[in-house]
Amino acid sequence: MICPYCAQDNDRVIDSRASDGGLVIRRRRECAACHKRYTTYERVEKTHRLMVVKRDGTRVPFVSDNILRGVRSACGKRPIPEDVKVALVQAIEDEVHREFDREVLSDEIGRRVATRLREIDDIAYIRYASEYHQFRNLDDLADELTDLKSRVRNLPNQRDLFPNDE
Ligand SMILES: [Zn+2]
């Protein structure tokens, strides 16, 4: 520490104690040059943590690896490169951190992942959306399949949907 009296960087700590429930450490210092005493405070930097609210109401910290695991599992052996999966999860992570301040519903994350997967791979999308209960019933699923089928029919070359914009 630079001494506030003589500006020498030559102090020693003569007392150190925690306050505010251990969140703050107060240190009494003495300058070795001018022998004046002063106090410094040390506190933990508050890191902002986004929480995910699950269906049962419990809250867990947002961990992007958990989303990636779900995406990988839905993709299974589909020919989807790993970097596409990672980029998808990264995009979701950026998005929810930008749009949500403290907490986000797990369903909201699931919906966003499903929307993006739908643009990447039909099968992975259906698997993901089924696993994460995006369909309320079989009619829902049937409607979605009809929709996907008509989309593919209207696009002779589906690859055109996914230009290499990495
Ligand atoms: Zn001093």
Side-chain angles (χ1 to χ4, degrees):
M1 279 290 158
I2 304 286
C3 170
Y5 302 100
C6 72
Q8 296 287 308
D9 184 8
N10 190 10
D11 68 307
R12 67 187 182 92
V13 175
I14 52 177
D15 184 40
S16 192
R17 65 184 66 188
S19 64
D20 200 6
L23 291 172
V24 178
I25 305 290
R26 177 184 182 275
R27 295 191 205 282
R28 199 75 184 131
R29 295 168 187 270
E30 187 180 282
C31 174
C34 71
H35 302 288
K36 290 227 165 62
R37 291 182 175 188
Y38 56 98
T39 305
T40 59
Y41 295 90
E42 186 179 305
R43 69 187 72 232
V44 175
E45 188 178 2
K46 267 200 188 135
T47 46
H48 181 71
R49 198 100 203 247
L50 185 66
M51 300 300 280
V52 177
V53 183
K54 301 206 290 188
R55 287 197 167 194
D56 63 6
T58 56
R59 284 164 170 74
V60 293
F62 179 94
V63 178
S64 61
D65 274 0
N66 294 343
I67 302 177
L68 185 58
R69 205 170 304 130
V71 168
R72 281 203 187 112
S73 147
C75 291
K77 291 191 162 58
R78 302 292 296 166
I80 304 164
E82 177 69 10
D83 60 347
V84 169
K85 299 171 200 168
V86 171
L88 182 154
V89 173
Q90 184 65 58
I92 300 286
E93 181 171 18
D94 292 348
E95 211 173 275
V96 297
H97 276 89
R98 201 166 51 236
E99 293 176 36
F100 298 88
D101 195 31
R102 303 220 159 263
E103 40 184 54
V104 56
L105 296 175
S106 61
D107 277 359
E108 177 65 32
I109 296 174
R111 196 178 57 73
R112 286 166 189 245
V113 172
T115 303
R116 283 172 188 267
L117 266 184
R118 195 179 193 272
E119 299 306 315
I120 294 171
D121 187 274
D122 293 345
I123 304 293
Y125 159 67
I126 292 293
R127 276 196 201 133
Y128 186 90
S130 308
E131 177 73 21
Y132 292 89
H133 314 289
Q134 306 284 315
F135 306 124
R136 279 159 303 174
N137 49 46
L138 278 177
D139 285 345
D140 252 21
L141 177 58
D143 287 350
E144 188 60 34
L145 289 173
T146 307
D147 209 45
L148 284 173
K149 270 199 229 163
S150 69
R151 181 181 72 165
V152 172
R153 247 202 316 277
N154 294 338
L155 295 162
N157 185 357
Q158 206 185 340
R159 295 191 70 83
D160 291 345
L161 263 182
F162 322 117
N164 290 320
D165 56 1
E166 288 292 300

